[in-house]
Amino acid sequence: MSTSRALAILADLQGSQDHQDNVHRLCVACAAALSVPAVAVSVAGRDTAVPSLVGASSPAARKIEDIQFSNGEGPSLEAMSRRRLVLVSDLALEGPPRWVGFTSDALEQGIQSVFAFPLQVGGLLMGVFTLYRDRAGGLSGEKMTEALAYVDATLRILLHLQDGLPLDALHPEIRSGVNAHAGVHQATGMVSVQAHVGIAEALSLLRAAAFAASCALDEVAADVVSKKRRFQPQGGLE
Amino acid sequence: MHWSNGEEIPDSLGPPGSQERNMTSPRSIVETFVGLADTLIAEFDTIGYLHNLVERYVELLGVSSAGLMLADQRGTLQLLASSDEDLRALELLELQTDQGPCMDSYRTGQAVINVSATEAAERWPDFYPSVVAGGFLTVHALPLRLRHEVIGAINLFRADEEPLSAEAVMLGKGLADMATIGLMQHRTIREQQVLSEQLQFALNSRVLIEQAKGVLAERYALSMRAAFEALRSHARNHGARLSAVAEEVLEGSAEIIRPVG
């Protein structure tokens, strides 16, 4: 049963609320246990369009998760918005119709299969746990069971970190991941005023600008916040 | 009398409390254990479940009455279910005097079984006389315990001095173990839901606050820091939560006074 395995995983991890890399180390452990090159965990509030990375098994894992974030599309984002497992055993085959931008970028990074698990308790979604593999093929029953135990363990860590905090507060480990994209949220607010549009549209404008300039969403956002770029009411760049 | 699935009990099993009752009847045990599995779902009627449980004890162990106490967050035992109203008063007395088999069982995590009347009078001098006055002669208790954690105890009362058989004790312990696991699972599920709500709320808040900073920074030509300070003062002056103020800014309904200087 995934609970006892999840607890065993946590026991091996020997993390604590004082540590600020519990989720990172869990991702590393999972990558090793399942022999996959990349494992990443991201959290998101109600607006799953802009998740925040809180754990990655390697810089490569961080990069691929970021590709989804920048493109605004991908298996992990879909797993969150649909609240379902998204299992892509052959990205080259199944990816293109669904996530054009993400697929080409991910294939370029050597990723050939992706398995995304929403992190949820009942109806409440908190984020997503994603495995990236460098070869095509599904997860064996055994590996799926083990993956589910890691998903369970991740949830337990996230909830444990939250325990005892005042309302509105985030544990430092989570907060640092969320702060990393603070610029995107700030820029979204700024653009909504500049272009006289709602928040969702403002984010779309930022994404479109990033795509047009072939740069990361974070970069465009940073330019907006530092006042190097402005947006017009008609939606174009000044 | 009917089982919950609508079938009648065969006459051979006799009325509750009868010594002829076959306490290991497959149907009753299976039904009890199936009922206990219901605790694994979050929307679960704890009190109803506990009432069922004490009634099962009466039926299956052949005791006159049963009561269940669970510890609250502070470790204080609360009476949560009694198989009959008369028993309630007695159990409340047990709690008040802090004496009795349930209290002992909870504290030690051990079963308190087949204590003689003489010993009972000595052990629980403030409680036992009321037991006798209430028409009972023997009292037993089983802990609700999982490894080192004791979450409560079950009181069992008999009107006669028949000892509980080893078989009855084993059955009683089995029921208690299942109940404990179920109750703890349910507690965990509830706690997980609460924490999930809090985490989701906090994640939302952070996004809203950053977006609101952007809005204010742009609208009033402020630095992000000054924008944050404006949010904070407004929240403080109105006794509101920061995330609530942020939401108002985004909706366009807050009148944020632009800080001077």
Side-chain angles (χ1 to χ4, degrees):
Chain A
M1 198 190 156
S2 86
T3 305
S4 52
R5 179 66 193 125
L7 294 175
I9 289 169
L10 290 174
D12 287 341
L13 197 69
Q14 291 184 338
S16 80
Q17 278 176 313
D18 297 329
H19 293 181
Q20 293 205 20
D21 61 351
N22 294 290
V23 184
H24 275 298
R25 287 185 301 118
L26 187 75
C27 291
V28 171
C30 182
L34 294 178
S35 306
V36 293
V39 177
V41 172
S42 292
V43 295
R46 232 176 290 133
D47 182 4
T48 59
V50 185
S52 306
L53 185 88
V54 294
S57 60
S58 62
R62 175 185 292 272
K63 184 169 186 175
I64 304 156
E65 193 87 339
D66 252 354
I67 288 173
Q68 291 202 54
F69 169 72
S70 239
N71 278 294
E73 58 167 23
S76 312
L77 293 177
E78 187 171 317
M80 280 194 286
S81 61
R82 292 175 64 202
R83 287 156 198 254
R84 298 194 2 200
L85 298 192
V86 174
L87 309 173
V88 186
S89 44
D90 191 338
L91 189 58
L93 212 60
E94 306 167 54
R98 287 158 96 172
W99 319 289
V100 178
F102 165 75
T103 303
S104 56
D105 286 346
L107 288 172
E108 228 174 273
Q109 298 297 318
I111 298 305
Q112 295 199 29
S113 54
V114 184
F115 308 95
F117 303 77
L119 291 164
Q120 54 191 357
V121 170
L124 292 164
L125 180 81
M126 280 152 296
V128 63
F129 180 99
T130 313
L131 304 174
Y132 298 95
R133 208 153 66 173
D134 50 3
R135 59 178 174 82
L139 281 180
S140 69
E142 209 184 298
K143 293 212 165 165
M144 176 62 84
T145 306
E146 183 72 350
L148 288 171
Y150 274 94
V151 172
D152 190 340
T154 305
L155 258 175
R156 285 169 193 274
I157 290 181
L158 291 177
L159 295 182
H160 182 65
L161 293 177
Q162 192 65 25
D163 201 352
L165 293 180
L167 219 51
D168 262 14
L170 288 170
H171 187 274
E173 180 172 344
I174 310 290
R175 205 182 333 126
S176 60
V178 174
N179 282 349
H181 293 306
V184 172
H185 303 303
Q186 290 165 8
T188 306
M190 292 175 72
V191 170
S192 80
V193 174
Q194 289 171 8
H196 300 169
V197 295
I199 289 293
E201 259 187 88
L203 181 61
S204 302
L205 289 175
L206 283 166
R207 282 205 204 281
F211 181 75
S214 293
C215 68
L217 182 59
D218 278 325
E219 273 182 63
V220 176
D223 285 347
V224 170
V225 171
S226 62
K227 313 236 171 79
K228 292 198 196 110
R229 293 194 194 194
R230 283 187 64 79
F231 283 74
Q232 293 283 58
Q234 290 79 21
L237 285 172
E238 198 171 74
Chain B
M1 192 166 149
H2 294 263
W3 296 113
S4 59
N5 62 3
E7 291 178 41
E8 287 195 321
I9 314 171
D11 287 340
S12 59
L13 289 179
S18 146
Q19 292 294 72
E20 285 82 46
R21 169 162 292 269
N22 176 1
M23 67 182 80
T24 55
S25 119
R27 184 193 303 284
S28 51
I29 294 184
V30 164
E31 196 195 56
T32 302
F33 288 151
V34 164
L36 288 168
D38 286 344
T39 60
L40 298 178
I41 56 170
E43 307 80 35
F44 155 73
D45 172 22
T46 305
I47 298 298
Y49 165 76
L50 294 177
H51 272 291
N52 273 336
L53 185 65
V54 295
E55 271 159 36
R56 288 292 181 266
Y57 268 98
V58 169
E59 287 166 15
L60 297 178
L61 267 62
V63 296
S64 313
S65 308
L68 188 145
M69 306 200 188
L70 279 185
D72 63 19
Q73 287 106 316
R74 279 156 302 162
T76 312
L77 278 185
Q78 305 289 338
L79 178 62
L80 287 190
S82 276
S83 62
D84 63 68
E85 280 311 304
D86 295 338
L87 193 72
R88 265 193 104 66
L90 198 52
E91 290 187 288
L92 289 172
L93 182 67
E94 188 172 5
L95 288 173
Q96 271 175 354
T97 59
D98 202 25
Q99 281 180 18
C102 224
M103 312 306 296
D104 287 356
S105 187
Y106 174 64
R107 274 196 281 265
T108 63
Q110 303 297 322
V112 177
I113 304 288
N114 297 332
V115 175
S116 72
T118 323
E119 195 193 329
E122 268 180 48
R123 248 167 110 162
W124 312 305
D126 298 326
F127 172 64
Y128 189 66
S130 301
V131 170
V132 175
F136 302 102
L137 282 180
T138 45
V139 290
H140 315 273
L142 293 169
L144 290 168
R145 175 183 148 194
L146 182 63
R147 288 187 284 273
H148 303 298
E149 201 172 346
V150 188
I151 61 171
I154 308 222
N155 254 339
L156 302 168
F157 293 76
R158 289 191 72 104
D160 57 34
E161 288 193 86
E162 280 292 321
L164 278 184
S165 67
E167 191 189 36
V169 173
M170 261 194 64
L171 181 59
K173 285 183 172 177
L175 284 175
D177 286 345
M178 286 293 306
T180 305
I181 291 171
L183 287 166
M184 289 177 73
Q185 288 265 33
H186 175 67
R187 192 176 65 180
T188 301
I189 290 170
R190 276 296 306 145
E191 284 170 356
Q192 283 188 341
Q193 272 186 328
V194 168
L195 288 174
S196 304
E197 282 167 7
Q198 288 178 8
L199 177 55
Q200 211 199 41
F201 184 81
L203 289 169
N204 277 340
S205 297
R206 188 94 324 249
V207 170
L208 293 174
I209 290 167
E210 297 302 330
Q211 288 172 344
K213 278 159 69 173
V215 167
L216 290 180
E218 179 62 28
R219 196 177 282 159
Y220 300 116
L222 301 174
S223 68
M224 285 300 163
R225 189 197 195 87
F228 184 60
E229 277 312 314
L231 280 174
R232 249 215 308 229
S233 334
H234 188 87
R236 210 171 23 235
N237 297 341
H238 291 70
R241 198 174 292 128
L242 203 51
S243 53
V245 176
E247 223 164 347
E248 284 174 31
V249 167
L250 294 171
E251 281 165 19
S253 53
E255 294 303 317
I256 305 275
I257 316 296
R258 187 200 153 155
V260 177

